[in-house]
Amino acid sequence: MWTDARVAEWKAIGERPVIAVWTAAQLAAFLDFVRDDTLYALWWLIALRGLRRGEAAGLRWADVDLHEGQLSVVRQRTTAGYDVHEGPPKSAASRRLVALDKHTVQVLRQQRQRQQDRRARRVDANKVCHDSGYVFTSPDGLPLHPGYLP
């Protein structure tokens, strides 16, 4: 846990713990800070629904059921060097159904609307725009490279 003492030690010696878990207050401050970020929904899912970076990068709208309030983790995007590989999660136990509370459903609805608006603006500007089906994409609609995410 990032306690005040651990933060002070990290600042003093520059060495952070191998595992550094934010406190609830730190997480709330981070989510408030990135509220207008285009990847807000990604940060939300990683922080509050336990998705791993590769699982979030591989999440497709076909795996999300906003009406039922759930998403299925069935793939991940990983890297070898800079090459992206897509496949099943790292273990059978990693394939799972994730329940979504009402606020998370709202966050994902906003993500979908933001993505549709961005796509429409690009099409109107005669810019390339791919309909890749991924929840988290670059401005041109292609899935995010997992190395882009922390």
Side-chain angles (χ1 to χ4, degrees), residues 23-37:
T23 64
Q26 290 166 332
L27 177 58
F30 171 77
L31 289 174
D32 188 53
F33 181 77
V34 297
R35 183 170 305 283
D36 295 325
D37 189 277

Side-chain angles (χ1 to χ4, degrees), residues 44 65-70 100-111:
W44 183 273
D65 186 338
L66 296 176
H67 179 70
E68 293 295 323
Q70 58 191 22
L100 306 175
D101 61 275
K102 289 180 182 182
H103 187 74
T104 301
V105 168
Q106 181 62 28
V107 166
L108 286 167
R109 287 183 199 275
Q110 290 169 347
Q111 170 65 16

Side-chain angles (χ1 to χ4, degrees), residues 40-83:
Y40 178 73
L42 179 135
W43 307 129
W44 183 273
L45 288 176
I46 288 174
L48 298 172
R49 290 293 165 251
L51 267 66
R52 294 177 182 92
R53 168 179 80 160
E55 294 168 346
L59 187 63
R60 297 176 58 88
W61 285 113
D63 304 324
V64 179
D65 186 338
L66 296 176
H67 179 70
E68 293 295 323
Q70 58 191 22
L71 66 81
S72 300
V73 176
V74 295
R75 76 181 50 79
Q76 66 174 353
R77 290 173 53 83
T78 58
T79 59
Y82 196 75
D83 295 330

Side-chain angles (χ1 to χ4, degrees), residues 82-138:
Y82 196 75
D83 295 330
V84 176
H85 300 277
E86 189 163 319
K90 67 181 193 176
S91 71
S94 296
R95 276 185 189 251
R96 64 196 183 282
L97 196 60
V98 177
L100 306 175
D101 61 275
K102 289 180 182 182
H103 187 74
T104 301
V105 168
Q106 181 62 28
V107 166
L108 286 167
R109 287 183 199 275
Q110 290 169 347
Q111 170 65 16
R112 185 169 52 191
Q113 186 62 53
R114 186 180 300 122
Q115 193 177 58
Q116 291 169 345
D117 292 346
R118 183 172 56 191
R119 186 177 298 123
R121 284 192 306 275
R122 288 186 66 89
V123 168
D124 288 348
N126 291 319
K127 293 183 178 179
V128 173
C129 188
H130 304 276
D131 187 5
S132 64
Y134 287 86
V135 176
F136 304 109
T137 63
S138 60

